[in-house]
Amino acid sequence: MYRERASRLPGAAVWTSVPAGEDGTGRVLPDGCMDLLWHDGRLLVAGPDTRAHVDAGAAGPWSGIRFHPGTAPTLLGVPARELRDRRVELADLWPAAEVRRATARVHAAHHPARGLEDVALRLAASAGPPGPPDPLLTRLVAALDAGRPVTGTADELGLGARQLHRRSLTAFGYGPKTLARVLRMRRALALARAGVPFAETALRAGYADQPHLSREVRSLTGVALRELVPPDAAS
């Protein structure tokens, strides 16, 4: 079971999850984001995914705070490119004393998800003004999520291709074209899960046709589109 709510940290979401499989297996789809996680008394960081991440053998509840795309590296002090397609113990990234304080804060909260949110809020406060999110990166994410082309968006932001790619690697873990692919897939999944026919979903989400949509979904998630859509919504 998965539950999510908006966080007090702007743009973030707080979530809890109990994998459906008895062995803890679960499939996490790319979303352009990074998460601070709590599982089995440990703090971890989920880096940006370029493909679905399959958790295996990690039974039991998870809690997390998912940061808006591009904001986590500033808060956590680690470039996103170093964590691409990885799940890393926070203790491998931060000094031991800082990890102990963060762990104690989560333990002291009435629920781990609330404790993670408190940790994230303190990180944002310590970043100071202007702090995250970077307005330029916010505009980039919004433009790509609306289906705008990468080249045109770079021109509007006044960035050259190399500069945009370099900043994207630090903020998102990959280049803007990969981010655009991930965001486009998320738009398509939202439409399909709302009952929009697959052929119409493809066109509305910016794919050439339904086969193009199917190929991209399988490439990014490892499974067919139909497996990601409730049976009563698939068409």
mmCIF file of all heavy atoms in Angstrom, residues 25-62:
data_model
loop_
_atom_site.group_PDB
_atom_site.id
_atom_site.type_symbol
_atom_site.label_atom_id
_atom_site.label_comp_id
_atom_site.label_asym_id
_atom_site.label_seq_id
_atom_site.Cartn_x
_atom_site.Cartn_y
_atom_site.Cartn_z
ATOM 1 N N THR A 25 9.436 -7.144 -2.634
ATOM 2 C CA THR A 25 9.727 -6.695 -3.990
ATOM 3 C C THR A 25 8.772 -5.581 -4.413
ATOM 4 O O THR A 25 7.565 -5.670 -4.217
ATOM 5 C CB THR A 25 9.618 -7.867 -4.982
ATOM 6 O OG1 THR A 25 10.556 -8.864 -4.603
ATOM 7 C CG2 THR A 25 9.910 -7.413 -6.396
ATOM 8 N N GLY A 26 9.325 -4.542 -4.998
ATOM 9 C CA GLY A 26 8.509 -3.438 -5.496
ATOM 10 C C GLY A 26 9.227 -2.741 -6.631
ATOM 11 O O GLY A 26 10.468 -2.710 -6.671
ATOM 12 N N ARG A 27 8.477 -2.173 -7.575
ATOM 13 C CA ARG A 27 9.056 -1.503 -8.735
ATOM 14 C C ARG A 27 8.839 -0.003 -8.582
ATOM 15 O O ARG A 27 7.706 0.467 -8.480
ATOM 16 C CB ARG A 27 8.402 -2.009 -10.022
ATOM 17 C CG ARG A 27 8.985 -1.425 -11.313
ATOM 18 C CD ARG A 27 8.310 -2.038 -12.533
ATOM 19 N NE ARG A 27 8.540 -3.475 -12.576
ATOM 20 C CZ ARG A 27 9.587 -4.039 -13.160
ATOM 21 N NH1 ARG A 27 10.493 -3.285 -13.780
ATOM 22 N NH2 ARG A 27 9.744 -5.347 -13.148
ATOM 23 N N VAL A 28 9.926 0.756 -8.582
ATOM 24 C CA VAL A 28 9.875 2.210 -8.462
ATOM 25 C C VAL A 28 10.213 2.803 -9.820
ATOM 26 O O VAL A 28 11.297 2.570 -10.366
ATOM 27 C CB VAL A 28 10.878 2.718 -7.394
ATOM 28 C CG1 VAL A 28 10.778 4.235 -7.268
ATOM 29 C CG2 VAL A 28 10.604 2.042 -6.052
ATOM 30 N N LEU A 29 9.290 3.586 -10.374
ATOM 31 C CA LEU A 29 9.463 4.120 -11.710
ATOM 32 C C LEU A 29 10.237 5.432 -11.694
ATOM 33 O O LEU A 29 10.165 6.200 -10.730
ATOM 34 C CB LEU A 29 8.102 4.345 -12.364
ATOM 35 C CG LEU A 29 7.166 3.140 -12.427
ATOM 36 C CD1 LEU A 29 5.905 3.502 -13.215
ATOM 37 C CD2 LEU A 29 7.846 1.929 -13.031
ATOM 38 N N PRO A 30 10.983 5.724 -12.751
ATOM 39 C CA PRO A 30 11.684 7.011 -12.835
ATOM 40 C C PRO A 30 10.699 8.174 -12.754
ATOM 41 O O PRO A 30 9.612 8.103 -13.321
ATOM 42 C CB PRO A 30 12.346 6.954 -14.222
ATOM 43 C CG PRO A 30 12.414 5.521 -14.573
ATOM 44 C CD PRO A 30 11.216 4.886 -13.941
ATOM 45 N N ASP A 31 11.100 9.232 -12.045
ATOM 46 C CA ASP A 31 10.212 10.392 -11.921
ATOM 47 C C ASP A 31 10.958 11.717 -11.947
ATOM 48 O O ASP A 31 10.362 12.780 -11.768
ATOM 49 C CB ASP A 31 9.365 10.299 -10.653
ATOM 50 C CG ASP A 31 10.199 10.199 -9.379
ATOM 51 O OD1 ASP A 31 11.438 10.374 -9.448
ATOM 52 O OD2 ASP A 31 9.614 9.942 -8.310
ATOM 53 N N GLY A 32 12.283 11.700 -12.144
ATOM 54 C CA GLY A 32 13.049 12.934 -12.170
ATOM 55 C C GLY A 32 13.424 13.459 -10.802
ATOM 56 O O GLY A 32 14.017 14.534 -10.693
ATOM 57 N N CYS A 33 13.091 12.694 -9.758
ATOM 58 C CA CYS A 33 13.274 13.178 -8.387
ATOM 59 C C CYS A 33 14.327 12.367 -7.639
ATOM 60 O O CYS A 33 14.774 11.316 -8.091
ATOM 61 C CB CYS A 33 11.960 13.084 -7.615
ATOM 62 S SG CYS A 33 10.585 14.011 -8.341
ATOM 63 N N MET A 34 14.691 12.879 -6.460
ATOM 64 C CA MET A 34 15.485 12.154 -5.483
ATOM 65 C C MET A 34 14.707 12.123 -4.175
ATOM 66 O O MET A 34 13.902 13.015 -3.903
ATOM 67 C CB MET A 34 16.859 12.823 -5.276
ATOM 68 C CG MET A 34 17.762 12.736 -6.483
ATOM 69 S SD MET A 34 19.306 13.699 -6.297
ATOM 70 C CE MET A 34 19.999 12.982 -4.796
ATOM 71 N N ASP A 35 14.950 11.062 -3.378
ATOM 72 C CA ASP A 35 14.209 10.884 -2.125
ATOM 73 C C ASP A 35 15.159 10.658 -0.962
ATOM 74 O O ASP A 35 16.219 10.029 -1.118
ATOM 75 C CB ASP A 35 13.287 9.666 -2.210
ATOM 76 C CG ASP A 35 12.216 9.790 -3.273
ATOM 77 O OD1 ASP A 35 12.548 9.981 -4.460
ATOM 78 O OD2 ASP A 35 11.041 9.697 -2.919
ATOM 79 N N LEU A 36 14.748 11.135 0.211
ATOM 80 C CA LEU A 36 15.380 10.757 1.466
ATOM 81 C C LEU A 36 14.483 9.689 2.079
ATOM 82 O O LEU A 36 13.281 9.902 2.250
ATOM 83 C CB LEU A 36 15.505 11.961 2.400
ATOM 84 C CG LEU A 36 16.180 11.704 3.760
ATOM 85 C CD1 LEU A 36 17.615 11.238 3.565
ATOM 86 C CD2 LEU A 36 16.129 12.967 4.615
ATOM 87 N N LEU A 37 15.060 8.521 2.386
ATOM 88 C CA LEU A 37 14.284 7.349 2.774
ATOM 89 C C LEU A 37 14.582 6.921 4.203
ATOM 90 O O LEU A 37 15.674 7.142 4.726
ATOM 91 C CB LEU A 37 14.611 6.174 1.845
ATOM 92 C CG LEU A 37 14.568 6.411 0.339
ATOM 93 C CD1 LEU A 37 15.090 5.180 -0.393
ATOM 94 C CD2 LEU A 37 13.147 6.736 -0.101
ATOM 95 N N TRP A 38 13.591 6.246 4.785
ATOM 96 C CA TRP A 38 13.754 5.619 6.092
ATOM 97 C C TRP A 38 13.246 4.185 5.981
ATOM 98 O O TRP A 38 12.109 3.945 5.587
ATOM 99 C CB TRP A 38 12.950 6.364 7.145
ATOM 100 C CG TRP A 38 12.996 5.756 8.532
ATOM 101 C CD1 TRP A 38 12.064 4.945 9.104
ATOM 102 C CD2 TRP A 38 14.013 5.955 9.521
ATOM 103 N NE1 TRP A 38 12.438 4.609 10.379
ATOM 104 C CE2 TRP A 38 13.631 5.216 10.659
ATOM 105 C CE3 TRP A 38 15.206 6.670 9.543
ATOM 106 C CZ2 TRP A 38 14.401 5.183 11.817
ATOM 107 C CZ3 TRP A 38 15.976 6.643 10.695
ATOM 108 C CH2 TRP A 38 15.578 5.911 11.816
ATOM 109 N N HIS A 39 14.113 3.232 6.314
ATOM 110 C CA HIS A 39 13.719 1.830 6.261
ATOM 111 C C HIS A 39 14.529 1.044 7.280
ATOM 112 O O HIS A 39 15.763 1.138 7.314
ATOM 113 C CB HIS A 39 13.959 1.250 4.861
ATOM 114 C CG HIS A 39 13.620 -0.205 4.756
ATOM 115 N ND1 HIS A 39 12.334 -0.676 4.805
ATOM 116 C CD2 HIS A 39 14.414 -1.304 4.605
ATOM 117 C CE1 HIS A 39 12.330 -1.993 4.685
ATOM 118 N NE2 HIS A 39 13.585 -2.402 4.571
ATOM 119 N N ASP A 40 13.828 0.305 8.111
ATOM 120 C CA ASP A 40 14.482 -0.575 9.071
ATOM 121 C C ASP A 40 15.493 0.172 9.935
ATOM 122 O O ASP A 40 16.586 -0.328 10.217
ATOM 123 C CB ASP A 40 15.165 -1.725 8.322
ATOM 124 C CG ASP A 40 15.520 -2.900 9.227
ATOM 125 O OD1 ASP A 40 14.860 -3.044 10.280
ATOM 126 O OD2 ASP A 40 16.451 -3.654 8.897
ATOM 127 N N GLY A 41 15.112 1.392 10.347
ATOM 128 C CA GLY A 41 15.962 2.173 11.241
ATOM 129 C C GLY A 41 17.137 2.856 10.587
ATOM 130 O O GLY A 41 18.027 3.368 11.278
ATOM 131 N N ARG A 42 17.151 2.892 9.224
ATOM 132 C CA ARG A 42 18.283 3.485 8.518
ATOM 133 C C ARG A 42 17.812 4.607 7.596
ATOM 134 O O ARG A 42 16.709 4.561 7.050
ATOM 135 C CB ARG A 42 19.011 2.431 7.676
ATOM 136 C CG ARG A 42 19.615 1.301 8.473
ATOM 137 C CD ARG A 42 20.219 0.269 7.525
ATOM 138 N NE ARG A 42 19.191 -0.282 6.637
ATOM 139 C CZ ARG A 42 19.406 -0.627 5.367
ATOM 140 N NH1 ARG A 42 20.597 -0.426 4.815
ATOM 141 N NH2 ARG A 42 18.439 -1.158 4.652
ATOM 142 N N LEU A 43 18.673 5.596 7.422
ATOM 143 C CA LEU A 43 18.436 6.676 6.469
ATOM 144 C C LEU A 43 19.202 6.384 5.184
ATOM 145 O O LEU A 43 20.392 6.044 5.220
ATOM 146 C CB LEU A 43 18.898 8.012 7.052
ATOM 147 C CG LEU A 43 18.003 8.623 8.123
ATOM 148 C CD1 LEU A 43 18.741 9.723 8.879
ATOM 149 C CD2 LEU A 43 16.727 9.180 7.501
ATOM 150 N N LEU A 44 18.508 6.508 4.063
ATOM 151 C CA LEU A 44 19.117 6.272 2.763
ATOM 152 C C LEU A 44 18.717 7.392 1.815
ATOM 153 O O LEU A 44 17.757 8.130 2.072
ATOM 154 C CB LEU A 44 18.669 4.926 2.171
ATOM 155 C CG LEU A 44 18.866 3.669 3.010
ATOM 156 C CD1 LEU A 44 17.585 3.328 3.757
ATOM 157 C CD2 LEU A 44 19.247 2.499 2.108
ATOM 158 N N VAL A 45 19.438 7.487 0.718
ATOM 159 C CA VAL A 45 19.103 8.442 -0.337
ATOM 160 C C VAL A 45 18.869 7.660 -1.621
ATOM 161 O O VAL A 45 19.706 6.820 -2.002
ATOM 162 C CB VAL A 45 20.222 9.477 -0.548
ATOM 163 C CG1 VAL A 45 19.882 10.398 -1.722
ATOM 164 C CG2 VAL A 45 20.433 10.296 0.720
ATOM 165 N N ALA A 46 17.741 7.906 -2.259
ATOM 166 C CA ALA A 46 17.458 7.329 -3.568
ATOM 167 C C ALA A 46 17.849 8.342 -4.625
ATOM 168 O O ALA A 46 17.298 9.444 -4.686
ATOM 169 C CB ALA A 46 15.975 6.983 -3.689
ATOM 170 N N GLY A 47 18.821 7.983 -5.436
ATOM 171 C CA GLY A 47 19.252 8.878 -6.495
ATOM 172 C C GLY A 47 18.270 8.894 -7.652
ATOM 173 O O GLY A 47 17.296 8.137 -7.675
ATOM 174 N N PRO A 48 18.511 9.751 -8.636
ATOM 175 C CA PRO A 48 17.615 9.843 -9.793
ATOM 176 C C PRO A 48 17.739 8.595 -10.663
ATOM 177 O O PRO A 48 18.847 8.133 -10.941
ATOM 178 C CB PRO A 48 18.122 11.086 -10.528
ATOM 179 C CG PRO A 48 19.563 11.183 -10.145
ATOM 180 C CD PRO A 48 19.654 10.679 -8.738
ATOM 181 N N ASP A 49 16.619 8.045 -11.063
ATOM 182 C CA ASP A 49 16.608 6.810 -11.845
ATOM 183 C C ASP A 49 16.459 7.097 -13.333
ATOM 184 O O ASP A 49 15.659 7.930 -13.740
ATOM 185 C CB ASP A 49 15.451 5.910 -11.408
ATOM 186 C CG ASP A 49 15.628 5.395 -9.986
ATOM 187 O OD1 ASP A 49 16.781 5.105 -9.602
ATOM 188 O OD2 ASP A 49 14.617 5.279 -9.261
ATOM 189 N N THR A 50 17.209 6.347 -14.133
ATOM 190 C CA THR A 50 17.029 6.389 -15.580
ATOM 191 C C THR A 50 16.224 5.185 -16.058
ATOM 192 O O THR A 50 15.873 5.098 -17.231
ATOM 193 C CB THR A 50 18.390 6.385 -16.308
ATOM 194 O OG1 THR A 50 19.109 5.190 -15.954
ATOM 195 C CG2 THR A 50 19.205 7.603 -15.922
ATOM 196 N N ARG A 51 15.923 4.282 -15.146
ATOM 197 C CA ARG A 51 15.113 3.105 -15.430
ATOM 198 C C ARG A 51 14.443 2.689 -14.128
ATOM 199 O O ARG A 51 14.808 3.194 -13.057
ATOM 200 C CB ARG A 51 15.987 1.968 -15.957
ATOM 201 C CG ARG A 51 17.110 1.576 -15.003
ATOM 202 C CD ARG A 51 18.066 0.566 -15.609
ATOM 203 N NE ARG A 51 19.121 0.190 -14.668
ATOM 204 C CZ ARG A 51 20.250 0.856 -14.518
ATOM 205 N NH1 ARG A 51 20.470 1.954 -15.233
ATOM 206 N NH2 ARG A 51 21.168 0.457 -13.656
ATOM 207 N N ALA A 52 13.495 1.788 -14.211
ATOM 208 C CA ALA A 52 12.802 1.357 -13.003
ATOM 209 C C ALA A 52 13.778 0.699 -12.025
ATOM 210 O O ALA A 52 14.656 -0.067 -12.426
ATOM 211 C CB ALA A 52 11.682 0.387 -13.357
ATOM 212 N N HIS A 53 13.612 1.008 -10.748
ATOM 213 C CA HIS A 53 14.417 0.387 -9.700
ATOM 214 C C HIS A 53 13.556 -0.669 -9.020
ATOM 215 O O HIS A 53 12.453 -0.377 -8.557
ATOM 216 C CB HIS A 53 14.869 1.424 -8.676
ATOM 217 C CG HIS A 53 15.632 0.841 -7.531
ATOM 218 N ND1 HIS A 53 16.988 0.608 -7.583
ATOM 219 C CD2 HIS A 53 15.229 0.430 -6.310
ATOM 220 C CE1 HIS A 53 17.397 0.085 -6.445
ATOM 221 N NE2 HIS A 53 16.340 -0.037 -5.658
ATOM 222 N N VAL A 54 14.049 -1.880 -8.969
ATOM 223 C CA VAL A 54 13.309 -2.978 -8.355
ATOM 224 C C VAL A 54 13.928 -3.282 -6.999
ATOM 225 O O VAL A 54 15.085 -3.725 -6.909
ATOM 226 C CB VAL A 54 13.316 -4.234 -9.248
ATOM 227 C CG1 VAL A 54 12.546 -5.368 -8.560
ATOM 228 C CG2 VAL A 54 12.706 -3.922 -10.606
ATOM 229 N N ASP A 55 13.150 -3.009 -5.938
ATOM 230 C CA ASP A 55 13.592 -3.340 -4.587
ATOM 231 C C ASP A 55 13.286 -4.809 -4.337
ATOM 232 O O ASP A 55 12.150 -5.247 -4.494
ATOM 233 C CB ASP A 55 12.863 -2.483 -3.545
ATOM 234 C CG ASP A 55 13.400 -1.058 -3.495
ATOM 235 O OD1 ASP A 55 14.628 -0.905 -3.453
ATOM 236 O OD2 ASP A 55 12.594 -0.122 -3.506
ATOM 237 N N ALA A 56 14.275 -5.567 -3.939
ATOM 238 C CA ALA A 56 14.077 -6.986 -3.661
ATOM 239 C C ALA A 56 14.658 -7.316 -2.289
ATOM 240 O O ALA A 56 15.753 -6.889 -1.946
ATOM 241 C CB ALA A 56 14.745 -7.837 -4.733
ATOM 242 N N GLY A 57 13.917 -8.076 -1.526
ATOM 243 C CA GLY A 57 14.397 -8.505 -0.226
ATOM 244 C C GLY A 57 14.383 -7.423 0.829
ATOM 245 O O GLY A 57 15.060 -7.543 1.836
ATOM 246 N N ALA A 58 13.613 -6.348 0.607
ATOM 247 C CA ALA A 58 13.542 -5.253 1.585
ATOM 248 C C ALA A 58 12.126 -5.156 2.124
ATOM 249 O O ALA A 58 11.430 -4.168 1.940
ATOM 250 C CB ALA A 58 13.964 -3.939 0.951
ATOM 251 N N ALA A 59 11.682 -6.209 2.765
ATOM 252 C CA ALA A 59 10.317 -6.246 3.285
ATOM 253 C C ALA A 59 10.150 -5.255 4.430
ATOM 254 O O ALA A 59 11.116 -4.832 5.062
ATOM 255 C CB ALA A 59 9.990 -7.661 3.760
ATOM 256 N N GLY A 60 8.898 -4.900 4.694
ATOM 257 C CA GLY A 60 8.601 -3.976 5.770
ATOM 258 C C GLY A 60 8.303 -2.592 5.253
ATOM 259 O O GLY A 60 8.500 -2.294 4.070
ATOM 260 N N PRO A 61 7.811 -1.711 6.125
ATOM 261 C CA PRO A 61 7.392 -0.373 5.692
ATOM 262 C C PRO A 61 8.563 0.531 5.328
ATOM 263 O O PRO A 61 9.641 0.445 5.905
ATOM 264 C CB PRO A 61 6.642 0.164 6.914
ATOM 265 C CG PRO A 61 7.245 -0.565 8.074
ATOM 266 C CD PRO A 61 7.573 -1.937 7.564
ATOM 267 N N TRP A 62 8.305 1.395 4.361
ATOM 268 C CA TRP A 62 9.224 2.441 3.958
ATOM 269 C C TRP A 62 8.554 3.784 4.175
ATOM 270 O O TRP A 62 7.335 3.907 4.027
ATOM 271 C CB TRP A 62 9.582 2.323 2.481
ATOM 272 C CG TRP A 62 10.456 1.179 2.103
ATOM 273 C CD1 TRP A 62 10.093 -0.122 1.954
ATOM 274 C CD2 TRP A 62 11.857 1.245 1.804
ATOM 275 N NE1 TRP A 62 11.172 -0.883 1.580
ATOM 276 C CE2 TRP A 62 12.262 -0.074 1.474
ATOM 277 C CE3 TRP A 62 12.789 2.272 1.764
ATOM 278 C CZ2 TRP A 62 13.579 -0.371 1.118
ATOM 279 C CZ3 TRP A 62 14.098 1.972 1.415
ATOM 280 C CH2 TRP A 62 14.483 0.659 1.101
#
